Amino acid sequence: MPTATHVPEEPALSPWLRLAAAILPVAATAFIGSVSTRENIPLWYEGLNKPGFNPPNWLFPVAWTLLYTMIAVALWRLLGAKPRTGPSRQGWWLALAVFLVQIALNAAWSPVFFSAHAIGAALVVVAALLMMVLWTIRLTWRFDRIAAWMLVPYAAWVGFATLLNAAILRLN
């Protein structure tokens, strides 16, 4: 009796197109964050009351550079894990959609917090971001466990950012 062998599917996108599709939304998010914070850190953020566990300002761009790199690699891996047929395809599309929603929430937080000075609204955004990152990890796990693990430090940092945002709201 012949046995069926599983032939791995080729990624739906070429490696270069996948790379661009992974880097562009993350780079756009980083750019929005940079533009939103550049003038507002010295002119507004420095004057806020902050908790004792507030990290030094230099740590934020270092952390985000590392995190954005990991996020882009995770997205690149998820894009390469796309099943062509079957019920997994719908789950993959959901994982991709949730991934993109969390990137959009990430991009929204800096303008809300730094540009609009809306600390309470920013807390809502960052809390929603945390939930979406956790859901992204859960959905991505099914298709690429390395990609899911690469998002864990991001979830930890966003959890810390949520706590920090809440403390700043309370103190101001």
Side-chain angles (χ1 to χ4, degrees), residues 91-116:
W92 181 88
W93 279 107
L94 178 60
L96 180 61
V98 172
F99 202 114
L100 296 175
V101 168
Q102 64 83 12
I103 290 287
L105 287 167
N106 185 314
W109 184 84
S110 291
V112 172
F113 186 89
F114 286 103
S115 299

Side-chain angles (χ1 to χ4, degrees), residues 1 4 7-8 11 38 47 51-52 54 67 82 85 90-91 95 115 118 127-129 136-137 147 150 155 163 167 170:
M1 174 174 233
V7 177
R38 187 174 301 131
N54 189 74
L67 293 170
K82 181 180 180 184
T85 59
Q90 289 175 334
S115 299
L129 173 58
T136 300
I137 292 167
M150 292 184 83
L163 179 63
R170 186 180 60 79

Side-chain angles (χ1 to χ4, degrees), residues 101-145:
V101 168
Q102 64 83 12
I103 290 287
L105 287 167
N106 185 314
W109 184 84
S110 291
V112 172
F113 186 89
F114 286 103
S115 299
H117 305 168
I119 302 169
L123 180 58
V124 172
V125 173
V126 77
L129 173 58
L130 178 58
M131 294 300 107
M132 293 304 285
V133 171
L134 293 171
W135 194 20
T136 300
I137 292 167
R138 181 174 179 263
L139 293 172
T140 300
W141 181 264
R142 183 171 165 199
F143 301 100
D144 189 316
R145 291 184 176 178

Side-chain angles (χ1 to χ4, degrees), residues 36-116:
S36 300
T37 59
R38 187 174 301 131
E39 291 180 8
N40 284 293
I41 288 177
L43 299 177
W44 175 72
Y45 184 72
E46 286 297 324
L48 292 175
N49 294 318
K50 293 180 258 332
F53 61 87
N54 189 74
N57 288 342
W58 64 263
L59 182 61
F60 291 99
V62 172
W64 278 112
T65 299
L66 293 170
L67 293 170
Y68 283 140
T69 301
M70 293 172 75
I71 293 164
V73 171
L75 180 54
W76 178 78
R77 291 185 63 91
L78 179 61
L79 289 169
K82 181 180 180 184
R84 293 183 190 268
T85 59
S88 291
R89 183 177 175 144
Q90 289 175 334
W92 181 88
W93 279 107
L94 178 60
L96 180 61
V98 172
F99 202 114
L100 296 175
V101 168
Q102 64 83 12
I103 290 287
L105 287 167
N106 185 314
W109 184 84
S110 291
V112 172
F113 186 89
F114 286 103
S115 299

